[in-house]
Amino acid sequence: MKKLLFTPGPLTTSRTVKEAMLEDVGSRDYVFVNAVKEIRSELLTLGHVSQAMGYETVLVQGSGTFGIESVISSAVGKQDVLLILANGAYGERIVKMAVIHQLQHQVLRFPESEIVTPEATINYLEAHPEITHVACIHSETTTGVFNPIGAIGAVCEQYNKVFIVDAMSSFGGVEMDIDALKIDYLVSSSNKCIEGVPGFAFVICKKAQLEKCKGQGRSLSLDLYDQWAGLEANGQFRFTPPTLSLLAFRQAMKELQAEGGVPAREKRYKTNKITLDTGMAELGFQQYLQPGIQGHIITSFLYPDSPNFNFERFYQKLNDRGLIIYPGKLGKTDAFRIGNIGQIFPDDVKRLVQAIKEVLEEEGVVMPKQEKQTV
Ligand SMILES: *Cc1c(COP(=O)(O)O)cnc(C)c1O
């Protein structure tokens, strides 16, 4: 059965993206080397930057976390101090990296139900002039909150801090002008909004920053500078590249263009989100976040207040219908998540909502009075 993934990644991909992986390719083959070159250059275009503007793309084998860890463990030097702005599990993951690599670091925490604020960041930086780097998550997949990276970027520029953004689950699904956002390092991966398959992360960053990473890496395979230098030297990866994932990604980038680029994809995801919000509100579900700070990538829904609701059974029955949702990851609140990204369309979202309705009925879960949501 064809499965639809309403998750934060890996996502539902098109048949043609998967078909791009049907032919073997050698890692030194010019067809492959060319694909890598195209991908690196096209990623800059998607971020509205260029080599002429001083930006570079580095591809890193592995999942998204490998890309973040490559940046964190390479960019923060011995004398540097990293400030991590955290309001969810992905911010905490960066804290873990800083601990493992024994970086000088500090953490400014915000509740999971709130955004990271520029005001608190300013206050913190004023009190801690030793900070050199600031890391922030854009779309915090823990909840679905969108942190105001434009405002945080402006603060980083004002205070002359290197700004590192985990835009994993948003890049390609949200228009981003990396230069205007004052981002020094942006990290995302092959299997999120560009709708490729898992295999690698990519880092779009300022060349001037990259050059400072030379000799600073704390791991051989995740050394960002060496990875870049390798790609620059002969267009090849230092170690075995995810060849087929890269070919799929190049196809996914073509399909993104054919859809109308990032603006069109953002529009589709937003339509998915509105369709989901409307349908779930009609069923009586409450969302975890206030609407003003909720992004259009993924939404956390509170468990229904009914003794008959059992998430494992709910998940399994949707799974049996080919519809895959995602468990929650919140500290104290019971919630599950539904993603709007990947090759899913408003009609798929309607199918999911209908299936949720049927499963609740089967399970005897009585929902509170149904609300009509005005969109
Ligand atoms: C998906 C995601 C990551 C990377 O997770 P992997 O499992 O390593 O791919 C990092 N940050 C955010 C916000 C994400 O959504």
Side-chain angles (χ1 to χ4, degrees), residues 162-174:
V162 177
F163 188 33
I164 300 167
V165 177
D166 170 347
M168 202 72 62
S169 66
S170 53
F171 187 76
V174 176

Side-chain angles (χ1 to χ4, degrees), residues 44-92:
L44 292 177
T45 309
L46 284 185
H48 299 280
V49 290
S50 63
Q51 283 193 308
M53 290 164 73
Y55 288 85
E56 295 288 329
T57 316
V58 189
L59 308 178
V60 180
Q61 298 97 321
S63 81
T65 303
F66 292 59
I68 305 274
E69 188 161 8
S70 175
V71 171
I72 296 293
S73 65
S74 302
V76 183
K78 277 204 174 71
Q79 310 301 325
D80 296 332
V81 183
L82 172 68
L83 172 65
I84 301 149
L85 305 175
N87 60 339
Y90 291 92
E92 297 302 331

Side-chain angles (χ1 to χ4, degrees), residues 15-221:
R15 169 164 287 276
T16 37
V17 161
K18 290 183 277 281
E19 280 170 356
M21 299 187 288
L22 290 177
E23 297 290 341
D24 292 317
V25 64
S27 62
R28 285 154 196 270
D29 190 322
Y30 84 97
V31 173
F32 175 71
V33 171
N34 234 14
V36 170
K37 199 169 151 194
E38 269 178 47
I39 289 168
R40 291 179 66 207
S41 142
E42 183 63 24
L43 282 171
L44 292 177
T45 309
L46 284 185
H48 299 280
V49 290
S50 63
Q51 283 193 308
M53 290 164 73
Y55 288 85
E56 295 288 329
T57 316
V58 189
L59 308 178
V60 180
Q61 298 97 321
S63 81
T65 303
F66 292 59
I68 305 274
E69 188 161 8
S70 175
V71 171
I72 296 293
S73 65
S74 302
V76 183
K78 277 204 174 71
Q79 310 301 325
D80 296 332
V81 183
L82 172 68
L83 172 65
I84 301 149
L85 305 175
N87 60 339
Y90 291 92
E92 297 302 331
R93 190 176 287 181
I94 297 181
V95 177
K96 226 174 193 174
M97 291 172 191
V99 170
I100 287 172
H101 294 289
Q102 302 185 339
L103 309 182
Q104 296 193 67
H105 69 283
Q106 299 175 27
V107 189
L108 178 57
R109 288 194 170 83
F110 300 80
E112 287 181 332
S113 56
E114 289 172 25
I115 55 168
V116 159
T117 69
E119 296 77 16
T121 307
I122 289 175
N123 291 341
Y124 199 90
L125 292 177
E126 285 282 350
H128 300 273
E130 69 276 17
I131 305 284
T132 54
H133 293 61
V134 175
C136 179
I137 315 295
H138 177 225
S139 171
E140 218 335 326
T141 312
T142 310
T143 54
V145 71
F146 268 16
N147 285 318
I149 49 167
I152 304 286
V155 170
C156 288
E157 186 187 43
Q158 188 190 337
Y159 287 82
N160 197 26
K161 311 298 178 194
V162 177
F163 188 33
I164 300 167
V165 177
D166 170 347
M168 202 72 62
S169 66
S170 53
F171 187 76
V174 176
E175 265 287 47
M176 276 183 221
D177 181 325
I178 294 175
D179 194 55
L181 292 167
K182 310 295 177 195
I183 298 172
D184 293 290
Y185 294 93
L186 176 143
V187 187
S188 183
S189 75
S190 56
N191 60 275
K192 302 261 175 154
C193 297
I194 297 171
E195 300 184 356
V197 303
F200 64 97
F202 55 85
V203 181
I204 304 176
C205 58
K206 289 215 176 113
K207 185 177 178 183
Q209 291 300 335
L210 207 43
E211 284 168 341
K212 289 187 197 162
C213 297
K214 190 173 182 179
Q216 275 186 182
R218 291 165 178 84
S219 136
L220 173 68
S221 52

Side-chain angles (χ1 to χ4, degrees), residues 305-334:
D305 187 14
S306 158
N308 289 347
F309 183 79
N310 173 294
F311 179 74
E312 293 308 320
R313 281 205 310 272
F314 179 67
Y315 175 91
Q316 196 52 49
K317 285 191 165 184
L318 290 171
N319 187 81
D320 293 343
R321 290 162 163 85
L323 305 163
I324 317 300
I325 63 166
Y326 214 61
K329 205 180 194 165
L330 293 167
K332 295 181 194 80
T333 314
D334 278 334

